[in-house]
Amino acid sequence: MNAALSIRVRGVVQGVGFRPFVFRLAETNGLTGWVLNGPEGVNIHVEGAERALDSFVAELKAQPPPAADITAIDISRSEAAGLSGFTIRESRRNGHPSVRVSPDLPICEMCLAELFDPADPRYLYPYINCTNCGPRYTIVERLPYDRGNTTMKRWPLDALCAAQYQDPVDRRFHAQPVACSNCGPHYRLESGDEMLAGDLPAIKRAATLLRAGQIVAIKGIGGYHLACDARNAGAVRTLRERKYRKEKPFAVMVRTVATARELAELSKETEALLASIARPIVLVAANTQLDEVAPENQELGLMLPYAPLHHLLFAAGAPEALVMTSANRSSEPIAFEDDDARQRLSGIADAFLIGERPIARRVDDSVACVGAFGPVVLRRSRGYAPGAVTTLPSRRPILALGADLKSTITLVVNGQAFISQHIGDLEHYESRKSFRETIQDLVSMYEVDWNDLAIVHDAHPQYVSTAYALELPGSYRSAVQHHRAHIASVLAEKRAWEKRVIGISFDGTGYGDDGTIWGGEFFAGSVADGFERVLHLKGAVLPGGDAAAQYPVQCAAGFLAEIDARPDLTAAPFHFPPRYRKSLDLVSKGLRIFKTTSVGRLFDTAAALLGFTRRISFEGQAAMWLEHLAQRVAPCEPYPFPIVGQELDFKPLLESVIHDRMRGRETGEIARAFHAGIAQGLCGAATVRCAENGIDTVVLSGGVFQNGLLLREIKSRLAMQIWTNGAVPPNDGGISLGQAAIASLSEPHA
Ligand code: ZN
Ligand code: FE
């Protein structure tokens, strides 16, 4: 007598080789039945002996395909139908597809072996892939994820590919981007008026040019990279000049982990992160000075090859450490369309390595690091997007528009929170365009009805995203204060809705309840009941408002105006430039000044006092400079940063910095004592507020907490449970998730 089970598997289970896997599992256990892709995941019916069913279920749970991400397996008893054999049934479509589009996957071990096997039909073919690997999100144009709905639709399958595509036991069964050199797309090299066709000649020439110190634009998975030899200072300098990128570090792609070890200090965790399925850029401590790659920075962003093309380039003799930076001018969004790339990069790249497969949407490389509290994603993009990061207690769909800097959007469907790729800063026209496209993209991909959508945006009345929220259709709109969204982003990752915490948001900038610029806030409360501001940084003024973020000395003028006995900072040892005087003038006349509690600007002030008196050339540069200065020296006594009433008073902190600087104390030590002071002040305040409110957990989020040294200083001092971001960034890239979380608990009709 046969038994039967009906099984539903949810999560990332489509387009990752799940059905062939189930097929093989059923066959090996001698079970009959069927499997199909349903609207909510994969549905399985199996029948056979009890013991075989048990081992089928055990193996299903124990060894799913590498790229699958299972969130739930529902198993129920069913009627045996006396089926003979096991079949993969065609997908049926009904209802909303809550099925997830898989993120793009790096080439798998088996494809890599075939790529370099002279006997294989896909030997050296740059578009090799299978159900365990290859592009997904960057080629899908609409759901369901079938070849006809991808950018591969232009290339009909030949006999070889078609046979594999249709064979349930083949690794390429329903691998939508399947192709071979006979039927699929190819690469070519363009340089001026010259065009070199053919994958191999093109790749070889590109490798030769790179070895010769030239700059090559290379089309990858989610966009173009600009590449050059990372160890050739002249080449990197040329790239900086042509790209108008003064000092911001470049990411480096290394051929192997061994190459990575030559360049940087790697822990087990960083190596695991480097090789993780998203293949992010991982920030690590450099042990060689690659001056032009990351000037005045002991950190290096490394990544491993992830596309077959990258492996082919290295095999063809490209330098083993390649600068691989987003192809754009300055901070514009990355180029991903061929004509646009040719046009925008014409003055930058010496040659273009162009692949024919179109990219459906721009997806940058992700950035991650191993921090004091474990791995954390700092830019969530390729390899992660558009995966769901968490579930939210919401029945209705929610669209959260994030912040204007480091924009991401979050769409909640059937309680699952999908986060878009990193969109960038909405000050750029191109970013605004891709912001709008990404919204349309996700909403239509998940077939959400605009009339059902609750829309959430930042409370900043002047944000581009706020203005856009007001234009969108939708049944309900709400605003969420920036720093509460930061705190909620951590709690959303933990799925802790009722948990009462002290949430601390140290940040660059964000619109506060009172219309001033916040960024040094303590809250008590929960996502469900809301967050009450219970303490904050003592207020200062910012002459020129947010524009002051470009000039540390301008921030300094605002913060130092609070200090009565301050020396002439234009003289030695400070040498502040004239901008400082002008800013002080604005402060004393009360002209164009804005109130702020931003800890980010406090860091800028300290950096200015220790020698960073020029304009910054990328966001967060002064604070990073200060962190690296402090990192070189041993721990030392913290400067005082006391609580006075409802405020943390920065005056004693800055007075100590000035005093020690004037008496000639080493600047690294001063920077270290400053970090320790911030940490000690934070911990003292957190402890007091926790005790008063009967709370045992502290949440940290906001851009300032990208500072690894600060986190270590806090961790060593605070006895309480500390929660930080991991899956989403502590910077504004995590705001949309926090907004969605708060909205999901404050729906008008849940
Ligand atoms: Zn593969
Ligand atoms: Fe922020």
Side-chain angles (χ1 to χ4, degrees), residues 172-232:
R172 295 193 167 87
F173 176 66
H174 282 202
Q176 305 307 340
V178 71
C180 69
S181 122
N182 180 43
C183 68
H186 294 282
Y187 269 84
R188 64 179 182 277
L189 192 97
E190 291 179 9
S191 169
D193 292 336
E194 261 180 88
M195 209 269 273
L196 188 59
D199 297 317
L200 285 194
I203 291 168
K204 266 194 186 136
R205 174 76 67 82
T208 308
L209 292 175
L210 289 166
R211 246 194 345 258
Q214 304 251 306
I215 295 163
V216 183
I218 299 173
K219 187 172 178 182
I221 300 296
Y224 275 81
H225 282 118
L226 285 164
C228 73
D229 182 355
R231 287 177 165 121
N232 182 335

Side-chain angles (χ1 to χ4, degrees), residues 2 41 57 136 292 294 710:
N2 274 352
V57 170
R136 297 287 187 277
E292 293 291 333
L710 180 65

Side-chain angles (χ1 to χ4, degrees), residues 67 123 148 227 298 367 393 398 464 472 511 524 539 554 674 720 731 745:
Y123 178 54
Q298 290 119 53
V367 180
I398 296 172
V464 171
L472 286 174
Y511 189 82
Q554 196 167 329
F674 174 84
M720 262 152 288
N731 61 46
L745 279 123

Side-chain angles (χ1 to χ4, degrees), residues 106-112 114 128-134 171-172:
I107 182 171
C108 72
E109 288 301 323
M110 280 185 275
C111 283
L112 195 55
E114 290 171 354
I128 187 172
N129 67 83
C130 73
T131 49
N132 297 323
C133 74
R171 214 172 83 245
R172 295 193 167 87

